[in-house]
Amino acid sequence: GAVVSQHPSRVICKSGTSVKIECRSLDFQATTMFWYRQFPKQSLMLMATSNEGSKATYEQGVEKDKFLINHASLTLSTLTVTSAHPEDSSFYICSARVSGSFNQPQHFGDGTRLSIL
Amino acid sequence: DAKTTQPNSMESNEEEPVHLPCNHSTISGTDYIHWYRQLPSQGPEYVIHGLTSNVNNRMASLAIAEDRKSSTLILHRATLRDAAVYYCILNSGGSNYKLTFGKGTLLTVNP
């Protein structure tokens, strides 16, 4: 089955640090990847849609200069949280769709738990 | 995408069937019904999806009402590993296939 690998699984760092999270589709090509954020006891909230070879599309209220997304290949998208602060602490999850598929499911990574001290 | 309504929580006993309901009265003709589940501290996992006909796979069955305004996810024999939050999501394939997650149903499985 389609596998999405997310790295790292957990990050603890000081306030002001920039953190990069990688999302890889291991056995399929993904033209589109998605980045979500989930706070404790809440549901997933879509942050942005990452499109290979073009700029990401951000959801309303998500700062594009704060959350930098790069999707340079059909198997890799990265999310960089720039100058992270304690309020950015959250569970970040990526997902990917198989390129060219119609209404097929998204495949999710295992998430990255980010803790900013 | 149209909204779905699910119970906040449900409880089941191990090895018994579980029926998780989902109401989607404003579903459009092109909306597929997707089910995902999320185990604690993990990303969501795809369970099943369908359009009009009932669907079966190795994980579950999806029963879709004739008017498509509701559906039921059926776990035939619940195990402790099935304890998770189950999300029912409608998706028409538009807007780059974005998924909008609601609060889902927290399923507790008792041994």
Side-chain angles (χ1 to χ4, degrees):
Chain A
V3 177
V4 173
S5 174
Q6 195 172 335
H7 179 81
S9 59
R10 186 176 181 93
V11 180
I12 302 173
C13 58
K14 295 181 179 180
S15 184
T17 306
S18 291
V19 178
K20 179 186 282 188
I21 302 169
E22 292 187 348
C23 180
R24 294 181 184 273
S25 55
L26 296 187
D27 51 0
F28 66 98
Q29 293 185 332
T31 307
T32 305
M33 292 185 174
F34 302 88
W35 288 96
Y36 298 83
R37 180 169 54 182
Q38 185 175 33
F39 292 107
K41 299 194 182 302
Q42 294 187 22
S43 189
L44 282 78
M45 289 193 63
L46 180 66
M47 299 175 66
T49 302
S50 171
N51 300 297
E52 186 267 336
S54 64
K55 291 183 179 180
T57 303
Y58 290 81
E59 295 299 301
Q60 192 172 7
V62 177
E63 300 175 59
K64 61 180 181 181
D65 295 330
K66 172 80 171 177
F67 300 99
L68 301 179
I69 292 172
N70 184 280
H71 192 157
S73 78
L74 287 172
T75 59
L76 173 65
S77 175
T78 61
L79 168 69
T80 301
V81 184
T82 62
S83 186
H85 292 286
E87 58 266 28
D88 298 321
S89 298
S90 188
F91 191 47
Y92 292 85
I93 307 167
C94 72
S95 72
R97 288 187 59 251
V98 177
S99 294
S101 62
F102 175 73
N103 226 297
Q104 290 303 303
Q106 289 185 20
H107 305 282
F108 288 82
D110 281 337
T112 297
R113 190 161 301 282
L114 177 60
S115 300
I116 308 298
L117 305 178
Chain B
D1 292 316
K3 185 178 177 179
T4 62
T5 304
Q6 300 177 252
N8 290 333
S9 62
M10 290 186 64
E11 206 166 319
S12 173
N13 295 320
E14 200 174 8
E15 298 192 3
E16 291 185 356
V18 182
H19 290 234
L20 297 164
C22 180
N23 288 320
H24 28 78
S25 58
T26 60
I27 190 171
S28 73
T30 57
D31 282 334
Y32 280 75
I33 302 160
H34 290 250
W35 284 82
Y36 289 81
R37 71 180 185 181
Q38 186 178 23
L39 280 65
S41 298
Q42 294 187 25
E45 175 186 28
Y46 166 76
V47 179
I48 200 166
H49 78 290
L51 183 63
T52 56
S53 303
N54 294 343
V55 185
N56 299 299
N57 67 20
R58 63 177 180 80
M59 289 181 68
S61 295
L62 176 60
I64 302 172
E66 195 168 334
D67 63 5
R68 301 210 324 126
K69 293 185 177 182
S70 66
S71 61
T72 302
L73 179 70
I74 302 167
L75 306 179
H76 295 285
R77 288 183 67 219
T79 69
L80 297 178
R81 292 183 68 253
D82 291 323
V85 178
Y86 286 78
Y87 298 98
C88 169
I89 303 171
L90 302 183
N91 187 269
S92 63
S95 300
N96 275 325
Y97 301 90
K98 292 193 297 186
L99 297 178
T100 301
F101 284 80
K103 295 183 178 180
T105 297
L106 174 62
L107 175 65
T108 301
V109 180
N110 300 314

